[in-house]
Amino acid sequence: MTTTLTRRALGTAALALLMAAPAGAADLGGQLLRVGSDTTSPPMEYIDTATGQIVGFDVDVVNAICERINCQAEFITTGWDGIFAALQNGQFDLVASGVSITDERDQVMDFTDPYIVNSQAILTRVDAGEMSVEDFESGGLSLAAQANTTDSITAAEIVGRENVQAYDTFNGAVLALQNGDVDGVVINGANAAAYEAQFAGQLVVGVTGLKADPLGLVFQEGDPMRDAFNEGLAEIKADGTLDALMARYWTAE
């Protein structure tokens, strides 16, 4: 499945990641790695209804890295709310789920180098007409977001915590918007066009260009496998594979 995403939904920085030279020749000996992922965020990771398989940009990135460093990836669906605890408990070898690299998270787990930079946006109802971030900042409007995400932090910064409704899943936040319970949903910009297309005529990416976050793959703190993945990531940046995957999932206007 290929999704078109314009510059208004994906920060232009995502198309200008610094190219890194391959660092070495890591070899994980064909190891099968368990990858935790909240598979409800097309096109980053989602379940293909036709095949039942977990697919998406993150899946392709991890598989491409594994081709370079000799490993295999088994993606496992898990809820976002418990995904990092599951990693710490050893249920997964890594997490690949469109995770923003933040200072707070970086204190308790290890990230790879960024593989994409994502710009947040606000999903609104078509019948609300044209909206701006100033409309939300001026008061009287509410936002929804998935709980315990950088989206929820951004929502609180825009309208105040008391005007934010947090949901366990992003789908729950979208349903609240459709039902008129909130006026907008702060959304990962990389997912924006997918939801706009899914709910064409109902929902639209009404506000773009909010905060831009680098995304990384996540490992337990001190896990040496992170270094191997950084080597593989550097290789797919240098040989054009990462650019090709971006072009496959997003086409800039």
Side-chain angles (χ1 to χ4, degrees):
M1 174 176 176
T2 301
T3 302
T4 298
L5 187 62
T6 63
R7 281 192 179 92
R8 67 190 179 92
L10 183 66
T12 54
L15 303 177
L17 289 174
L18 294 177
M19 301 298 285
D27 188 337
L28 297 183
Q31 185 175 352
L32 178 62
L33 305 179
R34 298 158 299 169
V35 185
S37 190
D38 177 8
T39 55
T40 61
S41 299
M44 299 299 284
E45 50 271 321
Y46 61 100
I47 297 175
D48 186 329
T49 55
T51 66
Q53 298 298 307
I54 299 172
V55 297
F57 177 71
D58 281 344
V59 177
D60 288 350
V61 168
V62 171
N63 285 336
I65 291 173
C66 274
E67 287 179 5
R68 305 307 190 280
I69 61 175
N70 191 17
C71 59
Q72 301 177 61
E74 177 189 6
F75 273 73
I76 302 170
T77 296
T78 188
W80 174 263
D81 192 48
I83 200 167
F84 299 128
L87 174 67
Q88 302 289 10
N89 291 335
Q91 294 180 40
F92 310 125
D93 297 293
L94 69 150
V95 166
S97 197
V99 183
S100 297
I101 302 173
T102 67
D103 291 339
E104 181 179 7
R105 290 171 179 168
D106 201 31
Q107 291 177 10
V108 295
M109 45 195 167
D110 283 347
F111 286 89
T112 61
D113 296 331
Y115 61 96
I116 194 172
V117 178
N118 177 58
S119 179
Q120 293 169 322
I122 299 177
L123 199 65
T124 60
R125 289 187 299 277
V126 170
D127 60 18
E130 187 173 339
M131 303 187 75
S132 68
V133 69
E134 288 77 17
D135 292 326
F136 285 93
E137 291 174 335
S138 63
L141 298 178
S142 59
L143 286 169
Q146 187 174 19
N148 301 314
T149 63
T150 55
D151 294 339
S152 64
I153 294 172
T154 296
E157 291 173 348
I158 294 172
V159 297
R161 189 175 301 277
E162 68 277 9
N163 295 311
V164 175
Q165 294 187 29
Y167 293 84
D168 289 338
T169 66
F170 186 77
N171 288 338
V174 171
L175 182 60
L177 176 61
Q178 291 176 303
N179 291 340
D181 298 329
V182 295
D183 300 295
V185 175
V186 177
I187 179 174
N188 180 318
N191 304 115
Y195 282 99
E196 188 177 61
Q198 182 178 352
F199 300 106
Q202 302 177 49
L203 305 181
V204 64
V205 183
V207 178
T208 60
L210 302 181
K211 287 186 175 179
D213 292 327
L215 307 186
L217 306 175
V218 194
F219 292 84
Q220 289 190 38
E221 191 170 22
D223 189 340
M225 199 179 301
R226 188 273 305 267
D227 294 334
F229 265 74
N230 269 338
E231 291 186 19
L233 177 58
E235 290 191 33
I236 68 170
K237 288 180 181 179
D239 67 16
T241 299
L242 185 58
D243 284 339
L245 289 175
M246 287 182 181
R248 175 183 171 188
Y249 284 93
W250 298 291
T251 300
E253 289 180 342

